[in-house]
Amino acid sequence: MAKLLIKNGRVMDPETGHDQVADILIRDRYVVRVGQNLHAIAATLFDATGLVVAPGFIDMHVHLREPGFEHAETIETGSRAAAGGGFTSVCAMPNTQPVNDDATVTRYVLERAARSAVVNVFPIGAITKNSAGQELAAIGSMKNAGAVAISDDGKPVMNSRVMRRAMEFARVFDLPVIDHCEDLELSAGGDMHEGLESTRLGLKGSPGCAEDVMVARDLLLVEVTGARYHTAHVSTRRSLELIREAKARGLPVSCEVTPHHLALADADMIPYDSNYKMRPPLRSRQDVAALADGVAAGVVDAIATDHAPHPGSEKMQEFERCPHGVIGLETALAVALQVLVHSGRIPLMRLVELFTLGPARILGLASRGRLSAGMAADVTIFDPDVEWTYDVNRSLCKARNSPFDGRKFRGAPVATVVGGRIVWQR
Amino acid sequence: MSETREKAQLMSASEIERTLVRLAHEVLERSDDLDRVAFIGIRRRGVPIAQRLAARINSLEARDIPVGILDITLYRDDLTTISNQPVLNATEISFPVAGKDIILMDDVLYTGRTVRAALDALFDHGRPARVQLLVLIDRGHRELPIEARFVGRAVQTTDREIIEVKFKEIDQVDKVLLVEKVD
Amino acid sequence: MAGLLGIEGLERSEIEAILNRARDFQPFENHTYKRLDVLKGKLIVNLFFEASTRTRTSFEIAAKRLGADAVSITAAGSSVSKGESLVDTLNTLAAMHPDAIVMRHAASGAPHFLARHLATPIINAGDGTHEHPTQALLDARTILDQRPSLEGLRVAIIGDIAHSRVARSNIHLLSKFGVDLVLCGPASLAPPELARIAPGVRITYDMREAIRDADVIMMLRVQLERQHEAFFPGGEYFQFYGLRLEHLDLARPDVLVMHPGPINRGREISSEVADSQKSVILSQVENGVAVRMAVLERILGGHGKTAD
């Protein structure tokens, strides 16, 4: 029986709205009390004076690469990077090898996580077998095995009939359907956003409408099927408008934004530097501004990193040959603080909500994303003002593909508590 | 849950009432300094006992003894996995525990594990000067070295039997039943 | 960073210096060339991942006329689009200790990638659809052989602009010199962004409007594959965007017709036009060597150069 007493931090709980200096008493895996001047016998003390104490952050879009691509990342190393970014829970996308499209792979991921991960890992199962977009994956059994959502992320579900069937089926199991919205015929292998920059650099572009077209289709199918739906990594102004309208009509729709899409536009890319190459690509300045507006207006429900490690060898090639994706677990908080809070766009509590209650609600994790007695003892402790410089070479994950190497930030995680234990400290 | 059948009624409403009056007087007798005394009822059915005793003492001595409620769900030693349902914790202790003469109250004292968890929970609120235990029924079969200072009634039971205490505040009726497990 | 990755990052004064020096390297009346030993002892490696006899030979000759040694590495059997990854070639290159690398590759940004990992000056001989700086330089030199200056000239670039690195380099160069530049092609091959990558550029989809009063008409190659990718209806290209004799009446009487080569007769340009007096296509080829000599001398001959 282990006790942890976090003293004197600024405790922020988006669910209750509480924002005050208080102590938190944790016993084993639960938060027992939040209050003033708490005592506990034989408790580990953590002095959180001057720090923010929030519910444990949840990243609902992470690629852990295991099984199959362990040279790029493993569940263990990905979880360490997560803890180093202040995250206490991550959702593992299914584009592994084999694809997580049935209960055996789901269970494998959970077992590996139980043995080697330092944070909670929640598997996301595939929508279709092998994510090939044709036959439905074993959605029901994956849910029973512990999947919290389904997605073919990395790919869209191009066939509308298949997506409709998946939504109908998933609704019965109350599983949210997460789509990577990209009409592959429109994006046609583009390497970056189609616009002035891609024209200047002579690179094939992927237009914003490739995303918008698919978001529109998905929202129409949600109307028909009533399924819970979540748009992964929204990147365009138009997609956000569509989502806002759908929400206004009462549809069960949610969406996430990545830190890199909030911070960087196509014009910020160092020419031909693959650390800026991901899907969806970095978009125009207008799109970037619209994303921040969407966060401020409450259209965006969560921030998720889409952490996508690739080994250095793969990212060190001509731009068009490099795989898409950047890492982001360890810079997420700092980037989000910089773009959204230090700039004055949103209050700190709203930012905390985007990392905690927002994803917890979407995924149905009732004991997480909240900080009050009876909740799981997952806590993120951070300093919103400490100045630091990101050195990607000291990253805890295996990969190094980040666009933020060398950037100065203000704000960083200080300690991560998972299940009542401090699993990482600055 | 296995089937049960009622074997006997151990206490009627009036018998419960008389026992509580007697317990209130015992508490008054044995407390040197009423100013330091506070009652803490263990959820759920320790709570009506604490409330009724405080009311009784108030009418006898015109004193307000503070009453707190202790929820021990999070202190049980059989809580393992985190389910998707948050574990409710409804402890309400609005007075400082440090230095107080606490009387912990529960309906039935059996193995003692509940009381041990309650002590754990209580001590996380502060260090009282003294803790004493008051129960309506002591049914024996202790598994830990815990005894009650104030006992309403001691009853011999087998481990196939269950004591069910019912209070108006929760169960709409006051009585104590002896019930037996049936396969 | 020394080298020449593109026109976009060059100052007008640097371009002028190269164009002026190129004059010294143009052939004499008797078709002989000046020969220097400025680059004696230097090794220039031509790294050509895309087949291109014309450009590669042009660079080889330029190198040799300056006294340098030239070695060519071509990717074996690089046909359809991509060769092998550049990383494989890096080590080989580094071991050769070249003084400069001339590189052509099908991927935009490939020379930038190489420049990040090697200290050797890199000269871009064409990267994907991004830039072909020496082509724009020799095009400018060719125009200047016939006109006193570039300022205020009306130049029309016609064809598959979206996929043309020649067009981009020319847009950057001509814009820096105050040219009135018109781009023209089928809508899907002439996206509006192209008019915004440099000042002084506009787009029209009407060829006759593009050619009206033009001083220079640059025709670009169009590839058959674009038809298959649904960029325009098959069989209609020449009808609407191919240059024929009657078009020349719309331009100025002394108009120059240019083409980076190789020409598709009957696809983007009719034989009559290609062989007419107004065509300076052959001069372009000759100027290719002169301009490349000027570039190599500037980069390797001790003149400080920064180009991007």
Side-chain angles (χ1 to χ4, degrees):
Chain A
M1 188 261 295
K3 288 196 225 174
L4 174 62
L5 182 58
I6 303 172
K7 287 200 78 68
N8 213 30
R10 176 182 173 191
V11 176
M12 299 180 73
D13 176 29
E15 187 179 43
T16 55
H18 285 151
D19 178 358
Q20 61 195 72
V21 175
D23 300 340
I24 297 187
L25 177 61
I26 288 171
R27 184 180 181 270
D28 283 340
R29 288 193 268 174
Y30 285 95
V31 171
V32 168
R33 264 184 90 196
V34 178
Q36 309 291 333
N37 298 313
L38 300 187
H39 313 275
I41 313 174
T44 311
L45 280 172
F46 185 95
D47 182 4
T49 309
L51 304 173
V52 173
V53 178
F57 286 4
I58 300 169
D59 187 344
M60 59 182 288
H61 192 145
V62 176
H63 295 274
L64 292 177
R65 304 290 189 219
E66 186 180 350
F69 303 107
E70 289 86 348
H71 56 290
E73 188 89 286
T74 62
I75 290 174
E76 182 189 345
T77 58
S79 76
R80 288 193 190 287
F87 290 96
T88 58
S89 300
V90 297
C91 291
M93 279 296 180
N95 57 336
T96 47
Q97 198 177 72
V99 166
N100 183 2
D101 61 4
D102 73 16
T104 47
V105 185
T106 308
R107 275 194 288 268
Y108 175 83
V109 170
L110 285 166
E111 274 162 38
R112 291 293 301 154
R115 255 193 299 212
S116 63
V118 298
V119 304
N120 305 308
V121 174
F122 296 101
I124 294 179
I127 297 176
T128 59
K129 276 198 196 151
N130 209 30
S131 286
Q134 298 302 324
E135 296 174 55
L136 294 183
I139 296 173
S141 14
M142 285 192 293
K143 156 106 193 212
N144 290 339
V148 295
I150 53 172
S151 178
D152 273 349
D153 184 66
K155 302 186 209 174
V157 177
M158 285 290 288
N159 184 323
S160 304
R161 176 176 42 82
V162 171
M163 185 51 137
R164 176 194 179 177
R165 299 294 173 224
M167 283 186 178
E168 286 168 343
F169 199 78
R171 200 195 77 236
V172 171
F173 289 90
D174 197 31
L175 272 181
V177 178
I178 302 177
D179 199 12
H180 166 120
C181 289
E182 180 188 342
D183 184 318
L184 295 173
E185 301 288 355
L186 281 173
S187 64
D191 295 313
M192 62 179 288
H193 176 59
E194 184 189 278
L196 181 57
E197 293 308 312
S198 68
T199 307
R200 265 185 58 232
L201 293 174
L203 289 171
K204 261 200 284 196
S206 169
C209 62
E211 177 171 316
D212 308 332
V213 157
M214 188 143 286
V215 170
R217 179 210 67 180
D218 285 349
L219 293 173
L220 289 165
L221 289 178
V222 169
E223 256 185 67
V224 167
T225 62
R228 286 201 291 130
Y229 168 76
H230 178 86
T231 309
H233 44 50
V234 177
S235 70
T236 68
R237 182 183 55 85
R238 204 66 189 83
S239 292
L240 267 184
E241 279 169 9
L242 291 165
I243 291 167
R244 181 207 288 253
E245 265 166 32
K247 284 182 163 197
R249 271 181 292 139
L251 293 178
V253 164
S254 62
C255 70
E256 76 197 25
V257 169
T258 69
H260 50 266
H261 285 111
L262 283 169
L264 300 168
D266 56 353
D268 296 320
M269 186 176 113
I270 296 174
Y272 310 109
D273 186 334
S274 64
N275 289 322
Y276 291 80
K277 181 176 180 181
M278 77 291 288
R279 281 159 67 211
L282 299 173
R283 300 276 188 199
S284 70
R285 291 236 181 271
Q286 292 89 321
D287 291 314
V288 172
L291 292 183
D293 290 342
V295 170
V299 181
V300 175
D301 304 276
I303 292 179
T305 62
D306 193 6
H307 176 89
H310 288 289
S313 51
E314 284 176 27
K315 278 294 207 177
M316 186 167 111
Q317 296 183 81
E318 310 88 278
F319 193 81
E320 47 184 70
R321 289 179 77 103
C322 294
H324 296 266
V326 294
I327 57 175
L329 284 167
E330 289 152 300
T331 48
L333 173 60
V335 172
L337 277 170
Q338 184 176 75
V339 174
L340 298 169
V341 177
H342 294 319
S343 62
R345 288 312 305 263
I346 62 173
L348 186 57
M349 182 64 94
R350 169 81 177 123
L351 186 80
V352 171
E353 184 185 20
L354 289 163
F355 278 112
T356 58
L357 189 60
R361 280 193 171 135
I362 295 165
L363 300 163
L365 301 174
S367 302
R368 302 189 203 268
R370 302 149 168 101
L371 195 51
S372 48
M375 295 300 160
D378 292 340
V379 181
T380 298
I381 304 171
F382 66 93
D383 182 339
D385 293 306
V386 65
E387 303 203 334
W388 62 294
T389 304
Y390 178 52
D391 177 2
V392 74
N393 291 309
R394 298 183 51 204
S395 169
L396 292 168
C397 78
K398 277 189 173 185
R400 295 289 178 262
N401 48 320
S402 165
F404 299 116
D405 185 30
R407 237 207 208 200
K408 291 203 200 323
F409 288 113
R410 193 178 128 214
V414 170
T416 307
V417 177
V418 176
R421 285 179 44 243
I422 300 177
V423 298
W424 174 85
Q425 247 179 335
R426 194 159 221 39
Chain B
M1 251 200 85
S2 49
E3 295 277 302
T4 58
R5 69 173 183 93
E6 209 175 288
K7 255 178 108 169
Q9 178 173 290
L10 295 178
M11 294 174 83
S12 66
S14 59
E15 284 167 311
I16 290 176
E17 185 60 25
R18 270 204 299 279
T19 306
L20 287 179
V21 167
R22 191 253 299 161
L23 284 171
H25 282 280
E26 269 187 46
V27 166
L28 282 173
E29 230 173 60
R30 298 195 214 249
S31 299
D32 316 304
D33 182 357
L34 266 188
D35 284 328
R36 290 196 331 171
V37 172
F39 295 166
I40 292 189
I42 300 175
R43 250 191 219 283
R44 288 177 81 186
R45 290 181 175 77
V47 176
I49 297 176
Q51 287 167 340
R52 291 192 199 185
L53 284 179
R56 174 69 46 177
I57 287 179
N58 193 323
S59 72
L60 289 172
E61 299 279 317
R63 294 288 215 110
D64 260 327
I65 310 274
V67 175
I69 298 173
L70 199 60
D71 183 315
I72 55 153
T73 331
L74 291 169
Y75 286 81
R76 295 165 54 130
D77 49 21
D78 57 354
L79 270 186
T80 45
T81 51
I82 302 235
S83 70
N84 267 343
Q85 272 310 114
V87 180
L88 294 173
N89 177 216
T91 291
E92 295 166 37
I93 302 179
S94 55
F95 51 86
V97 159
K100 283 257 192 282
D101 186 352
I102 302 278
I103 304 183
L104 201 56
M105 305 191 180
D106 204 2
D107 55 342
V108 179
L109 175 58
Y110 183 24
T111 61
R113 288 186 186 279
T114 301
V115 174
R116 188 199 180 287
L119 287 171
D120 255 350
L122 180 61
F123 273 77
D124 279 342
H125 285 263
R127 305 201 76 199
R130 170 164 80 156
V131 181
Q132 299 176 97
L133 181 62
L134 183 154
V135 295
L136 186 63
I137 308 280
D138 178 350
R139 63 171 287 196
H141 298 281
R142 217 73 77 236
E143 290 173 7
L144 295 173
I146 286 180
E147 289 311 318
R149 188 74 179 81
F150 307 96
V151 179
R153 191 186 285 201
V155 176
Q156 296 267 38
T157 60
T158 68
D159 42 26
R160 292 184 58 76
E161 289 167 332
I162 297 170
I163 306 241
E164 278 181 13
V165 172
K166 297 196 190 295
F167 285 121
K168 259 200 313 270
E169 294 89 326
I170 298 169
D171 313 286
Q172 279 73 55
V173 70
D174 274 356
K175 61 180 166 182
V176 180
L177 298 171
L178 180 68
V179 146
E180 185 171 52
K181 282 190 246 183
V182 169
D183 293 317
Chain C
M1 174 172 67
L4 177 59
L5 294 182
I7 299 287
E8 188 177 5
L10 284 185
E11 297 291 326
R12 178 171 159 152
S13 54
E14 289 176 289
I15 298 174
E16 278 168 342
I18 296 171
L19 293 176
N20 287 335
R21 187 59 172 147
R23 246 209 313 252
D24 296 333
F25 292 128
Q26 285 172 326
F28 299 119
E29 295 284 324
N30 57 358
H31 299 289
T32 56
Y33 285 81
K34 180 181 277 187
R35 214 199 152 76
L36 297 177
D37 284 333
V38 203
L39 301 187
K40 192 173 169 68
K42 306 270 189 186
L43 173 65
I44 295 169
V45 171
N46 287 329
L47 192 57
F48 275 63
F49 285 86
E50 264 183 345
S52 159
T53 321
R54 181 198 302 244
T55 310
R56 182 168 54 77
T57 323
S58 180
F59 269 106
E60 272 176 26
I61 296 172
K64 289 191 169 137
R65 290 234 164 88
L66 292 170
D69 296 315
V71 157
S72 288
I73 299 179
T74 50
S78 67
S79 53
V80 187
S81 43
K82 328 244 183 247
E84 295 138 337
S85 170
L86 285 178
V87 183
D88 302 328
T89 331
L90 266 182
N91 291 332
T92 322
L93 281 176
M96 290 165 78
H97 301 294
D99 294 286
I101 295 174
V102 175
M103 179 177 173
R104 168 174 287 204
H105 197 283
S108 302
H112 295 69
F113 172 77
L114 216 58
R116 269 210 294 278
H117 298 281
L118 289 179
T120 321
I122 313 264
I123 296 157
N124 183 3
D127 66 323
T129 57
H130 178 229
E131 284 227 40
H132 191 356
T134 55
Q135 179 73 41
L137 289 166
L138 72 87
D139 287 342
R141 183 64 259 160
T142 307
I143 297 173
L144 287 171
D145 286 344
Q146 310 281 344
R147 293 279 189 281
S149 108
L150 293 172
E151 204 79 36
L153 286 184
R154 177 82 137 67
V155 176
I157 303 181
I158 302 173
D160 179 358
I161 316 215
H163 299 99
S164 170
R165 55 194 173 212
V166 170
R168 278 177 181 73
S169 290
N170 269 300
I171 290 170
H172 288 303
L173 191 152
L174 295 172
S175 166
K176 288 180 206 284
F177 283 84
V179 163
D180 171 13
L181 195 47
V182 185
L183 307 176
C184 177
S188 50
L189 296 178
E193 283 83 6
L194 280 166
R196 290 163 46 210
I197 62 176
V201 183
R202 57 199 166 86
I203 293 191
T204 174
Y205 306 109
D206 180 337
M207 190 169 164
R208 301 176 65 82
E209 189 197 316
I211 292 181
R212 201 179 311 276
D213 297 327
D215 290 285
V216 181
I217 302 172
M218 282 187 190
M219 301 305 296
L220 301 174
R221 279 180 54 96
V222 70
Q223 289 162 274
L224 253 188
E225 297 89 83
R226 305 299 174 207
Q227 176 182 301
H228 294 308
E229 289 164 22
F231 277 101
F232 53 84
E236 290 204 341
Y237 188 84
F238 188 70
Q239 188 181 348
F240 293 99
Y241 296 98
L243 188 64
R244 299 185 287 286
L245 270 181
E246 62 262 31
H247 290 119
L248 298 186
D249 295 333
L250 293 167
R252 289 176 49 118
D254 53 353
V255 66
L256 304 174
V257 175
M258 302 174 67
H259 191 298
I263 313 169
N264 285 320
R265 290 164 184 271
R267 172 103 24 83
E268 64 255 7
I269 187 169
S270 72
S271 282
E272 299 84 28
V273 172
D275 299 330
S276 80
Q277 292 281 56
K278 304 188 194 281
S279 157
V280 292
I281 297 174
L282 291 175
S283 303
Q284 285 175 276
V285 179
E286 282 183 343
N287 279 328
V289 175
V291 154
R292 284 161 183 141
M293 285 173 75
V295 167
L296 286 174
E297 185 197 38
R298 191 172 174 80
I299 291 175
L300 291 168
H303 299 270
K305 184 183 198 66
T306 312
D308 195 335

